[in-house]
Amino acid sequence: MKYVFATLAGILVGAAIAVAVLFYNPLTEVREASAEESWTLAYDFPGGSTLALTHAGQFGLPHIPADVGPLWEAAIANVVLNVLVLEDENGAPRALASRVSVPSQETDLLLQGFLVSEHWLITIPGQGTLFVDGENNLWPFIKESLIPVKYLQQDWHGPMRYPVTIGPRSNRSAEVIGVSGAFAGSRGSARETYDLRRFSAALGIEALRGTLEVTLEENAGADAVEAELAAEPNTPLAAASQ
Amino acid sequence: MRRLFILALFVGFAGTLAGAHYLPWVSHERLSSQTSVIANGGRAESFVIRLPADRIETVALDGSASPAATFAAALGAQGPQLEHFKIRDRTGNVIGIATRHWAEAADGATTTWALVFPARGAIVLAHSGEARDAVEAALQDRGHTAGSQWDGEVTVALIDDAATTRSVVGLREFAGLDVRYTEAWNITGIDEQGEIRGTIELDTVSRRGG
């Protein structure tokens, strides 16, 4: 009997040490990196900037609008669709975005973290459309906010900042591909950051400010857009939307 | 006994880490791809959207619940049109999410489709956009008036020459493929709220070398 107890105790202690290693594993941390010449598109989540938010219902997120159909079919049950109005650095609405988030099959809690593939289609009215393919690591958010607050009933020690993008580019940024207008043919990178401002056990994410830092490479049209987006809000579109 | 404890501790430690590394933490339902090989090479696959069931509603940008009604007012008639759908394979099973952005820029209008299939990857397709409200215009030609019910049958081929389309990017299973497509709206009716009944069919042909 004591051998059985020693075996079980050993396995449990070993597993507990492994869980601690996973929690404090530096391999799954995401370090913040800043692009030098980038422009920023920002949004408030889950409300604020949202034109639509739908999923299968298992994420504790609201449905917006309330009567939007859930994504209940088996093949899309893990997907979150979020349609957003994105703001520029001055807080003026500048773009419309459709974001499809899919938990990644590359998720590896030891070496990578909990990965989510992010597919953004972003249209800046009058200027063109971009596609952004990103890989985000939500493990720091899960272990620092979700598990302690939601499942261990601890107080939340926020606000918290999570630079989440880790790929798929080798410099740990998302891939940006210009589709049309001034962006046609251009490529670039993007990094997303979550500023989690309010989080509770009952409601989960109550207030989050997300920012997408976009950098485009070698495209004259895109340079002009970057310059406009980086400028003070005195462009006709920005002024009209104030 | 001490040795047994240490051995078990090692097993628990290594087993947990191995599980964290090797377990498939995420898996998506994978249905068989309804593809066929075409005579001159390449792979054909059709995607279907059934309206109104597959349309994913959004808050109207210019509506009272919109987070950016002033933005919509500033855009006016120049604003882009965003649509979102569940997308099905040829047998009618939902297999992904489709996003359609129609937008005007200095070089003209462009329609962009982003098709995301969780178990397979994603493709982004683009084409010189149709005229604004082309579907509505086709319906008006068949006698439909705004705000009224309409029954009938009309096929609006928004893109009937796949050679004019382009494949922007393919991810995972679609990586490296040049995907061309045609787009047809087969409409069988409209209700008083303007909701379309019918199907949208995207017929794609994929070839290596995209």
Side-chain angles (χ1 to χ4, degrees):
Chain A
M1 186 67 187
K2 63 183 180 184
Y3 290 107
V4 172
F5 177 77
T7 304
L8 287 176
I11 289 173
L12 286 175
V13 171
I17 294 170
V19 168
V21 167
L22 290 173
F23 257 69
Y24 298 103
N25 179 5
L27 295 175
T28 56
E29 293 295 325
V30 184
R31 286 168 292 281
E32 190 156 17
S34 183
E36 287 179 2
E37 292 182 23
S38 63
W39 37 276
T40 301
L41 297 169
Y43 61 92
D44 291 313
F45 184 86
S49 305
T50 303
L51 295 171
L53 175 62
T54 186
H55 45 83
Q58 72 271 46
F59 300 104
L61 298 169
H63 282 91
I64 301 172
D67 59 349
V68 69
L71 306 180
W72 59 268
E73 292 88 349
I76 57 171
N78 294 326
V79 174
V80 176
L81 171 68
N82 198 190
V83 185
L84 295 159
V85 178
L86 301 178
E87 299 173 351
D88 64 15
E89 288 166 345
N90 304 305
R94 295 310 300 267
L96 298 168
S98 306
R99 172 189 199 165
V100 181
S101 307
V102 183
S104 171
Q105 291 171 317
E106 302 299 314
T107 288
D108 173 346
L109 297 183
L110 179 62
L111 300 179
Q112 301 260 28
F114 185 85
L115 306 186
V116 177
S117 299
E118 302 283 0
H119 307 293
W120 295 80
L121 198 58
I122 301 172
T123 292
I124 299 181
Q127 295 174 337
T129 299
L130 295 162
F131 177 71
V132 180
D133 168 38
E135 198 87 336
N136 285 356
N137 180 9
L138 299 192
W139 183 236
F141 158 73
I142 290 170
K143 72 179 183 183
E144 290 170 12
S145 290
L146 186 68
I147 292 175
V149 176
K150 196 108 175 167
Y151 299 106
L152 303 179
Q153 303 300 316
Q154 295 176 0
D155 291 334
W156 182 61
H157 301 290
M160 307 285 263
R161 182 174 174 83
Y162 298 110
V164 288
T165 304
I166 63 158
R169 286 168 67 111
S170 57
N171 64 353
R172 299 176 73 82
S173 63
E175 182 83 43
V176 178
I177 299 155
V179 178
S180 69
F183 307 116
S186 62
R187 308 284 285 206
S189 62
R191 289 189 175 86
E192 189 175 10
T193 302
Y194 297 162
D195 283 304
L196 186 58
R197 294 173 177 175
R198 280 204 313 278
F199 187 86
S200 69
L203 300 173
I205 297 171
E206 292 185 51
L208 180 150
R209 180 79 168 168
T211 53
L212 192 65
E213 257 184 78
V214 180
T215 308
L216 291 176
E217 300 154 359
E218 296 175 12
N219 179 295
D223 290 345
V225 174
E226 282 190 32
E228 186 177 339
L229 283 165
E232 289 299 307
N234 55 2
T235 58
L237 185 62
S241 60
Q242 293 285 294
Chain B
M1 179 120 106
R2 193 175 158 193
R3 279 188 183 170
L4 180 65
F5 176 80
I6 291 171
L7 181 66
L9 188 148
F10 177 76
V11 168
F13 180 78
T16 303
L17 293 187
H21 182 56
Y22 289 111
L23 280 180
W25 292 94
V26 175
S27 67
H28 302 292
E29 176 98 353
R30 172 69 197 249
L31 301 172
S32 301
S33 304
Q34 302 296 316
T35 60
S36 57
V37 176
I38 56 176
N40 59 347
R43 188 179 71 179
E45 186 167 12
S46 297
F47 303 108
V48 180
I49 294 161
R50 294 179 180 163
L51 299 174
D54 294 340
R55 184 184 291 280
I56 298 170
E57 296 296 335
T58 63
V59 172
L61 188 61
D62 58 353
S64 58
S66 170
T70 52
F71 185 43
L75 296 173
Q78 302 305 309
Q81 296 173 340
L82 277 59
E83 296 177 281
H84 305 85
F85 309 97
K86 296 174 183 176
I87 191 162
R88 299 171 187 267
D89 63 16
R90 207 172 47 200
T91 64
N93 290 308
V94 171
I95 54 170
I97 298 289
T99 297
R100 187 181 198 269
H101 283 207
W102 180 97
E104 282 182 324
D107 57 352
T110 302
T111 298
T112 309
W113 283 94
L115 311 180
V116 178
F117 309 103
R120 298 173 59 189
I123 37 177
V124 180
L125 308 170
H127 182 258
S128 303
E130 68 277 5
R132 180 180 288 275
D133 299 326
V135 173
E136 284 75 8
L139 287 165
Q140 285 167 8
D141 289 346
R142 297 297 182 100
H144 173 250
T145 54
S148 66
Q149 186 181 326
W150 178 84
D151 291 296
E153 282 194 21
V154 60
T155 296
V156 185
L158 291 182
I159 302 167
D160 55 7
D161 181 4
T164 62
T165 65
R166 60 193 164 94
S167 184
V168 177
V169 67
L171 304 174
R172 290 170 53 201
E173 197 174 288
F174 301 96
L177 294 180
D178 180 24
V179 184
R180 305 300 177 102
Y181 73 106
T182 59
E183 178 181 347
W185 292 51
N186 305 308
I187 300 169
T188 57
I190 298 185
D191 67 17
E192 290 91 344
Q193 281 76 45
E195 190 71 70
I196 293 175
R197 288 196 310 274
T199 59
I200 302 170
E201 292 180 12
L202 297 176
D203 293 327
T204 67
V205 174
S206 312
R207 290 185 174 85
R208 281 274 149 216

